[in-house]
Amino acid sequence: MSSLFSSAIAVLILLAVLVWRPGGLIRPRVARRQDVRDEKRVSGRILRFPPKTAIWMSVIGLAIAVAVPFFVVSNGIMSSLTIAAIQFIALIGLDLLMGYCGQISLGHAGFMAIGGYTAGYLVVNFNTPPLLAVLAGMGLSLACALILAVVTLRLRGLYLALATLAFSLLVDSFAVGFIDITGGPSGLVGVPSFSVAGFDFDTPVSMYYLALGVNVVVLLLLFGGLRSRFGRATIAIRTDQLAATALGVNVVRHKLVVFSISALLASLSGSLYAFSFNFLSPDMVGVDKSFELVSMMVIGGEGTLVGSLFGCILLTLLPTIFQPLAYYKTLVSGLLLILCFLYLPQGIYGAFAERLVRWTSRSKQPGQSFASSGEKSV
């Protein structure tokens, strides 16, 4: 076999051991109990905005997002904002999986790679319409997500994180090894701009509005779904799987659905990523991208759906605005992540929402307060 697949073989061995022998090839003398949690889980209090306040904030935020291209004159900043909007699609799915369902994933970029390479390959080699190519990439990502979810359903915590990381490493190895399909280390070149019904999204502004429209639709659907019975069951799984099972929640089905939605959004983001750059390489959707997505989510605010946008914009714009930071992007991301762990555990959005709630509550009459619950997000 080609030496390019040596990493893939090692990762397959790791994934097989995690699935069938998570305790290792040699069983430990003291077995860990799987029916109880070893560590304490502390969940912060959710501060909910009143419906009118939430609506007004959403309208203002959307108005700002729509007006941004009219005030940005730098092509570099506009391109960075477009990439941030595209990555935010994947972040919404990652936040749904980790923030609301409590399932750790360190291989989210693997689904971005599957969607991006599938869509790009079909368009470049078979002249497939971009929309159909994107749907094909999402279908393949969904199939991979179901297979991965089925074989890793009984894994939790560190073992689940390692399994998803192994999946991302496996996809990365295939992206490098399948030169005839992906272009190998040099990447897939010649990907055209995205187009629908004769309209070409061939500029950063047009791609920005396309990604913005997708984000708005996805957020509306997910916010509505999280207020349903399915959403409450998903949050219950994050809090305590055993308790959720005792209450009649089908944990396996909910995990499959949430993981599938997350993979579909990541695939869509990866496809638009390739169409935006007109190029896709393993470095753009490799393991480093998975870690970057997690950093963006934590810095912005986990379990909020919209909070990760702040982390995404921050980590995307900093290297563009301050060029010297481009060489130390990983270092800066790590420092920001540590600072958030220490001083902003709820993320930028969570800290902003908490202070806004406190400031607003002071102006209310005594006896009135915002509704709160045991969730972690705003």
Side-chain angles (χ1 to χ4, degrees):
M1 296 182 64
S2 171
S3 60
L4 294 175
F5 292 101
S6 59
S7 298
I9 297 173
V11 170
L12 282 173
I13 296 174
L14 170 62
L15 190 59
V17 171
L18 286 173
V19 172
W20 286 289
R21 296 293 295 270
L25 296 179
I26 300 177
R27 292 187 179 275
R29 293 185 177 180
V30 180
R32 297 178 59 185
R33 293 184 60 182
Q34 298 294 325
D35 57 335
V36 296
R37 185 186 293 117
D38 292 335
E39 73 282 356
K40 294 182 179 180
R41 184 180 183 89
V42 180
S43 297
R45 180 171 60 97
I46 287 185
L47 302 174
R48 295 188 180 277
F49 294 117
K52 291 184 178 180
T53 304
I55 292 175
W56 277 111
M57 289 183 61
S58 301
V59 171
I60 294 173
L62 181 59
I64 294 174
V66 172
V68 161
F70 296 98
F71 299 95
V72 176
V73 296
S74 173
N75 290 331
I77 294 179
M78 191 66 241
S79 298
S80 296
L81 289 174
T82 302
I83 297 305
I86 293 174
Q87 290 183 138
F88 183 52
I89 300 174
L91 283 169
I92 295 174
L94 181 62
D95 196 11
L96 177 68
L97 179 65
M98 294 184 62
Y100 282 88
C101 195
Q103 304 303 300
I104 302 174
S105 176
L106 297 181
H108 215 56
F111 297 110
M112 292 182 64
I114 293 174
Y117 278 116
T118 302
Y121 180 78
L122 292 176
V123 172
V124 171
N125 295 277
F126 299 100
N127 293 322
T128 305
L131 183 58
L132 293 180
V134 170
L135 294 177
M138 295 175 68
L140 182 58
S141 297
L142 177 61
C144 294
L146 291 176
I147 295 174
L148 180 63
V150 168
V151 300
T152 59
L153 277 178
R154 65 192 184 96
L155 300 179
R156 297 184 186 179
L158 177 62
Y159 299 116
L160 179 60
L162 287 175
T164 54
L165 178 60
F167 167 75
S168 183
L169 290 169
L170 186 63
V171 174
D172 195 17
S173 298
F174 287 157
V176 174
F178 291 142
I179 299 178
D180 295 336
I181 298 176
T182 64
S186 299
L188 182 64
V189 298
V191 180
S193 300
F194 187 79
S195 61
V196 177
F199 183 82
D200 294 328
F201 296 88
D202 53 357
T203 63
V205 175
S206 60
M207 281 298 295
Y208 171 82
Y209 281 120
L210 174 62
L212 177 62
V214 173
N215 283 317
V216 171
V217 172
V218 171
L219 285 174
L220 288 176
L221 292 175
L222 289 182
F223 274 126
L226 289 172
R227 285 173 171 79
S228 65
R229 181 179 179 181
F230 177 83
R232 292 190 292 271
T234 301
I235 297 172
I237 293 174
R238 181 202 65 177
T239 305
D240 196 314
Q241 292 188 26
L242 292 176
T245 303
L247 293 173
V249 176
N250 191 327
V251 175
V252 174
R253 184 182 64 184
H254 279 77
K255 283 185 177 181
L256 282 174
V257 173
V258 172
F259 196 74
S260 299
I261 294 174
S262 178
L264 288 173
L265 293 178
S267 176
L268 176 59
S269 176
S271 299
L272 295 180
Y273 208 58
F275 286 118
S276 178
F277 280 102
N278 304 121
F279 168 78
L280 191 65
S281 68
D283 294 336
M284 298 167 60
V285 286
V287 178
D288 290 342
K289 177 61 67 174
S290 295
F291 292 142
E292 185 180 4
L293 291 175
V294 175
S295 299
M296 290 176 178
M297 182 190 64
V298 174
I299 292 172
E302 182 184 1
T304 61
L305 288 187
V306 297
S308 55
L309 177 62
F310 292 88
C312 184
I313 293 176
L314 180 63
L315 293 184
T316 304
L317 285 183
L318 276 180
T320 303
I321 298 176
F322 304 100
Q323 290 296 330
L325 291 180
Y327 299 99
Y328 305 99
K329 184 177 181 179
T330 304
L331 176 61
V332 173
S333 300
L335 292 176
L336 290 175
L337 192 61
I338 293 174
L339 291 176
C340 282
F341 281 145
L342 295 176
Y343 304 107
L344 293 176
Q346 293 181 334
I348 297 174
Y349 179 83
F352 165 76
E354 183 178 3
R355 282 161 180 68
L356 181 61
V357 166
R358 290 178 180 177
W359 176 79
T360 309
S361 61
R362 293 173 184 174
S363 62
K364 294 174 66 67
Q365 297 178 359
Q368 294 180 338
S369 61
F370 291 97
S372 62
S373 66
E375 300 172 15
K376 187 180 177 181
S377 60
V378 176

